[in-house]
């Protein structure tokens, strides 16, 4: 990822967050890290393809399954209800709602997957991809994780 793409991704990330963006306004430095993390997870998952739809039971730019959405508390678009037909699909294919589902899922399963003494973006990337109950599996060889790390490194270089 070149610097221009990384900068564009960073701007997109800042627009995608809702709860985390509010924390940014309050001066929480971890909120910016989470926004960047979410963007890199999206980049690694589908290249943040906002028009991807569904494939093999996974939908939207984060490829969220129905079970993942359920475990995230079944977030919905404004005016929708989780029990309405199509609520899952409408949410996970819309970037803001999909990001809400991912943040909730990551919050629910937050843990130190790599046993480095802290819960950080690497852990969240593993939780998103491997699931909250099996995030300790080695991912170094996976294309998803390589794209994720490249994205994180590019953003870190932008921040000096």
């Amino acid at each position: 990822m070149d610097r221009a793409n990384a900068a564009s991704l960073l701007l997109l990330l800042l627009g995608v967050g809702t709860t985390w963006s509010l924390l940014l306004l309050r001066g929480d430095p971890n909120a910016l890290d989470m926004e960047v993390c979410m963007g890199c997870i999206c980049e690694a998952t589908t290249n943040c393809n906002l028009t991807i739809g569904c494939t093999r039971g996974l939908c939207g730019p984060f490829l969220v399954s129905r079970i993942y959405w359920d475990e995230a508390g079944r977030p919905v678009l404004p005016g929708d209800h989780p029990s309405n037909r199509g609520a899952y699909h409408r949410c996970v294919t819309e970037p803001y709602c999909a990001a809400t589902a991912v943040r909730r899922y990551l919050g629910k399963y937050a843990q130190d997957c790599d046993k480095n003494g802290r819960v950080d973006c690497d852990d969240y990337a593993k939780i998103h991809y491997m699931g909250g109950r099996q995030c300790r599996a080695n991912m170094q060889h996976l294309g998803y994780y390589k794209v994720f790390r490249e994205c994180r490194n590019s953003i870190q270089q932008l921040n000096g």
Side-chain angles (χ1 to χ4, degrees), residues 12 18 21-22 30 32-34 58 62-63 74 80 86 89-90 104 120 124 137 147 153 159:
L12 172 69
T18 51
S21 294
L22 293 174
N30 293 324
L32 178 58
D33 288 343
M34 189 60 184
L58 302 172
F62 291 98
L63 295 180
R74 303 174 69 183
D80 208 345
H89 182 265
R90 284 188 296 276
R104 287 182 181 181
D120 58 21
Y124 291 134
V147 172
N153 291 340
N159 292 332

Side-chain angles (χ1 to χ4, degrees), residues 107-160:
K108 180 177 181 174
Y109 289 104
Q111 61 189 290
D112 183 12
C113 301
D114 54 15
K115 299 180 185 179
N116 66 357
R118 62 184 187 277
V119 178
D120 58 21
C121 188
D122 275 3
D123 298 310
Y124 291 134
K126 291 174 182 179
I127 292 164
H128 176 70
Y129 190 84
M130 302 298 285
R133 295 178 187 90
Q134 49 197 353
C135 70
R136 292 209 164 106
N138 184 356
M139 293 180 51
Q140 305 297 329
H141 63 286
L142 298 176
Y144 163 85
Y145 195 69
K146 290 176 184 176
V147 172
F148 168 78
R149 291 301 308 155
E150 181 182 322
C151 177
R152 289 284 294 157
N153 291 340
S154 295
I155 298 295
Q156 288 171 345
Q157 286 176 356
L158 281 175
N159 292 332

Side-chain angles (χ1 to χ4, degrees), residues 57-69 88 92 98 101-102 128:
L58 302 172
C59 300
F62 291 98
L63 295 180
V64 172
S65 71
R66 178 123 191 159
I67 292 171
Y68 187 114
W69 179 73
Y88 152 73
V92 300
V102 172
H128 176 70

Side-chain angles (χ1 to χ4, degrees), residues 1-13 36 39-40 43 47-48 150-155 158:
M1 174 183 292
D2 62 29
R3 291 175 82 75
N5 286 341
S8 296
L9 178 61
L10 182 59
L11 292 174
L12 172 69
L13 300 173
V36 170
C40 288
E43 179 78 13
N47 199 28
C48 264
E150 181 182 322
C151 177
R152 289 284 294 157
N153 291 340
S154 295
I155 298 295
L158 281 175

